Amino acid sequence: MNAQAGGAKKGMIVSPIENGTVIDHLPPGKAVRIAQMLGLTEGAVVIIGQNLKSTKYGRKDLIKVENRFLTDEECSRIALFAPNATVNIIRNSELVEKRKVTIPDVVEGIAVCSNANCITNKEPVPTRMVTVSRSPVTIACHYCGYEVKAEDLRFRG
Amino acid sequence: MGFMNRDIVSIRDFSREDLDSIFGVARRMEKEGYDRGLLKGKRISLLFYEPSTRTRLSFQAAAQSLGADTVWFAGVEGTSVMKGETLKDTIETVANYADAIVIRHPYDGAARWAADITSRRAARGEKKVPVINGGDGRNEHPTQTMLDLYTIAQSQGRIDGLTIAMVGDLKYGRTVHSLAYALGLYSCRIRLVAPEQLQMPHHIISYLASRGVECTLHTSIEEVIGEADILYMTRIQRERFPDENEYNKVRGVYRVTRKTLQPAKPTMRVMHPLPRVDEISVDVDDDSRSYYFKQAGNGVPIRAALLAMVLGGIS
């Protein structure tokens, strides 16, 4: 593979990166939220493209992050907000791997239940969120059953 | 799914067949009497972090009817909870003393957490101590729902085909949440009567819709009283409101009197999980349609059936 992902060839709206990750095909308006959720905004060189033209979806957002490679768990978290996202690994300016994200069945420890009266918000209990619907992506707290749309899910710290 | 050592946490964990099994055992116990030797040597712990009259006493009566001992606290005053002990540490400790734990707790999800803790103990090689939810915050009260369904079937001879009106605090009321979920297993019509700000949570209404249950929203009892087979009243729960002003806006909004019942069918029954404040006037107690004290009495056979199935291997 030799073309860099994310529409960087024609027009070059978003600069290419040498080593790192391109998170492509994000719904418009979601890139900043996803970058924050993954902690990409702290220190790394990050390029965020918003409302870019997409042949597949009309408009899309995109994130490029230098020298950062995502874990499978981080890719699953992206899927909660962007089930159609693709994660592209770039090494030496070449696209070496293209991954589809998959919605996780369970999200453990990192999310916050939106129910203020939930035991997880009152005592030191690790959170456990379960996917109860995939379209739209809906998540329920394992303990109190409180449901939220994935896009409204909050993460710790 | 078998009942031995099973946690009773959410009504959603139970199929209609499961519920029928529980009702069958309860009916048999009511008819044939309680076997006082069935749970001899077993000890049941009742951890009531919140006030309770019916749930705690009926569990205790049920346990004693089957020969089991109980150890309990009612209110956290005098316990290590006052010193800041977590629920996890309390459960880890009490699980050493008991064969089953019944818990009522102010936080949503506390019963599931307690059940997970005893399951982890079992994974460490300790015996599994089943946890029974006696009401967790605003979330669920599954054993109340079991006795509610048992009462509906007892008073009407069936559950399918009935029109069931739930009235009052449908937002914070855990009994109506659990009851609504359970009614999704039956083909009945549901009428939800509440001020707009206390209406049933959307995710529960969506669940009922997904089950094909005919469910409509109302603000006055008069809109539904004529067609209802069951009028399920609830208290507006002051203790669940985050804001006293919000409570004052809706307190006393529904009050059933003999006059309210005039358009109702003679076979209609008024239920209430109790305690009541002013939502059912005392003169309704002597009306043939009142059924809430009989409903409260059903707590013993239902909870005895559950204990017998969870600890005694009865099916």
Side-chain angles (χ1 to χ4, degrees):
Chain A
M1 288 186 270
N2 52 18
Q4 191 165 126
K9 269 200 315 184
K10 275 187 196 169
M12 296 292 283
I13 294 173
V14 182
S15 318
I17 55 172
E18 200 175 317
N19 286 295
T21 306
V22 178
I23 310 167
D24 200 1
H25 301 122
L26 304 176
K30 290 282 196 297
V32 173
R33 178 87 205 276
I34 290 170
Q36 285 171 340
M37 174 194 73
L38 295 172
L40 302 181
T41 50
E42 294 151 22
V45 174
V46 180
I47 303 160
I48 289 179
Q50 289 187 302
N51 298 311
L52 305 175
K53 273 187 192 165
S54 163
T55 42
K56 239 180 183 176
Y57 302 108
R59 294 278 165 188
K60 67 175 183 180
D61 278 9
L62 171 148
I63 301 169
K64 294 189 175 193
V65 54
E66 274 192 349
N67 299 316
R68 174 81 141 77
F69 302 93
L70 302 183
T71 64
D72 289 345
E73 191 273 328
E74 286 173 319
C75 291
S76 291
R77 267 198 272 164
I78 294 169
L80 294 171
F81 299 89
N84 297 318
T86 46
V87 174
N88 306 287
I89 311 298
I90 312 295
R91 293 190 194 275
N92 300 321
S93 302
E94 296 290 324
L95 173 62
V96 294
E97 189 186 345
K98 199 178 182 83
R99 284 193 229 162
K100 293 295 282 181
V101 297
T102 49
I103 298 166
D105 294 329
V106 179
V107 180
E108 288 190 286
I110 49 172
V112 176
C113 179
S114 297
N115 172 9
N117 201 51
C118 178
I119 185 79
T120 59
N121 289 317
K122 300 287 190 180
E123 293 205 4
V125 180
T127 60
R128 182 177 164 85
M129 302 288 173
V130 181
T131 300
V132 291
S133 162
R134 286 171 190 272
S135 182
V137 185
T138 308
I139 307 294
C141 173
H142 163 72
Y143 297 104
C144 73
Y146 195 88
E147 290 185 12
V148 288
K149 288 206 181 90
E151 61 198 46
D152 297 325
L153 195 61
R154 293 179 297 125
F155 289 87
R156 285 196 198 278
Chain B
M1 188 174 173
F3 274 85
M4 195 68 189
N5 284 335
R6 183 169 172 181
D7 297 312
I8 314 286
V9 172
S10 167
I11 198 71
R12 283 174 283 177
D13 298 337
F14 292 84
S15 67
R16 189 164 164 164
E17 291 69 33
D18 289 334
L19 296 171
D20 285 343
S21 303
I22 297 163
F23 302 155
V25 173
R27 275 189 207 103
R28 204 164 71 219
M29 286 178 165
E30 279 205 284
K31 197 173 159 198
E32 298 171 8
Y34 298 96
D35 175 358
R36 292 191 67 87
L38 186 70
L39 298 185
K40 196 169 164 45
K42 300 283 186 189
R43 184 175 296 133
I44 294 156
S45 175
L46 308 171
L47 309 183
F48 277 67
Y49 288 73
E50 282 194 317
S52 167
T53 299
R54 277 150 291 277
T55 305
R56 184 168 64 82
L57 293 183
S58 62
F59 262 116
Q60 203 159 3
Q64 288 171 358
S65 299
L66 299 173
D69 292 329
T70 55
V71 288
W72 54 272
F73 63 73
V76 294
E77 196 70 38
T79 74
S80 288
V81 178
M82 296 301 286
K83 300 175 189 167
E85 183 166 70
T86 62
L87 178 60
K88 179 176 189 297
D89 287 1
T90 303
I91 295 295
E92 291 270 14
T93 304
V94 172
N96 293 306
Y97 311 152
D99 298 290
I101 294 172
V102 179
I103 182 169
R104 168 168 289 191
H105 200 280
Y107 299 149
D108 305 6
R112 180 72 72 193
W113 175 228
D116 284 1
I117 291 163
T118 67
S119 294
R120 286 186 202 179
R121 277 182 96 250
R124 298 198 302 257
E126 308 279 351
K127 69 171 181 187
K128 167 65 183 169
V129 177
V131 170
I132 302 177
N133 184 0
D136 61 329
R138 305 165 191 163
N139 188 32
E140 283 216 48
H141 195 348
T143 67
Q144 176 71 42
T145 295
M146 290 169 187
L147 78 88
D148 288 345
L149 294 171
Y150 185 72
T151 304
I152 292 169
Q154 181 184 63
S155 67
Q156 301 289 349
R158 64 196 165 103
I159 299 174
D160 286 318
L162 297 179
T163 299
I164 296 167
M166 297 185 215
V167 181
D169 178 1
L170 307 185
K171 180 179 180 183
Y172 297 123
R174 59 194 174 199
T175 62
V176 282
H177 296 168
S178 288
L179 181 58
Y181 278 123
L183 290 174
L185 299 174
Y186 299 86
S187 50
C188 49
R189 291 171 293 279
I190 297 180
R191 306 290 177 250
L192 301 173
V193 183
E196 202 177 323
Q197 64 269 44
L198 290 184
Q199 193 46 273
M200 187 70 80
H202 286 299
H203 66 273
I204 299 179
I205 295 173
S206 301
Y207 167 80
L208 290 170
S210 74
R211 300 287 307 181
V213 174
E214 185 197 310
C215 178
T216 54
L217 310 186
H218 306 267
T219 53
S220 80
I221 295 175
E222 287 68 30
E223 293 170 38
V224 302
I225 190 73
E227 64 166 333
D229 296 299
I230 296 288
L231 186 67
Y232 192 98
M233 296 296 298
T234 62
R235 177 173 64 96
I236 309 281
Q237 303 174 97
R238 179 185 221 141
E239 68 274 23
R240 305 278 176 227
F241 277 76
D243 181 337
E244 182 82 11
N245 289 335
E246 291 300 308
Y247 169 72
N248 286 329
K249 280 183 202 164
V250 290
R251 63 184 292 193
V253 67
Y254 299 117
R255 185 172 163 81
V256 170
T257 63
R258 284 205 170 212
K259 194 177 166 209
T260 320
L261 296 183
Q262 276 174 5
K265 298 175 191 174
T267 54
M268 190 274 281
R269 293 291 176 263
V270 183
M271 292 173 59
H272 192 306
L274 302 175
R276 68 175 155 184
V277 181
D278 55 6
E279 58 276 5
I280 301 175
S281 71
V282 175
D283 65 355
V284 175
D285 295 357
D286 297 323
D287 190 292
S288 60
R289 289 167 288 195
S290 77
Y291 215 77
Y292 29 91
F293 292 121
K294 176 75 178 154
Q295 175 190 2
N298 283 335
V300 176
I302 282 293
R303 289 171 175 133
L306 278 173
L307 293 175
M309 296 167 85
V310 168
L311 288 180
I314 296 293
S315 58

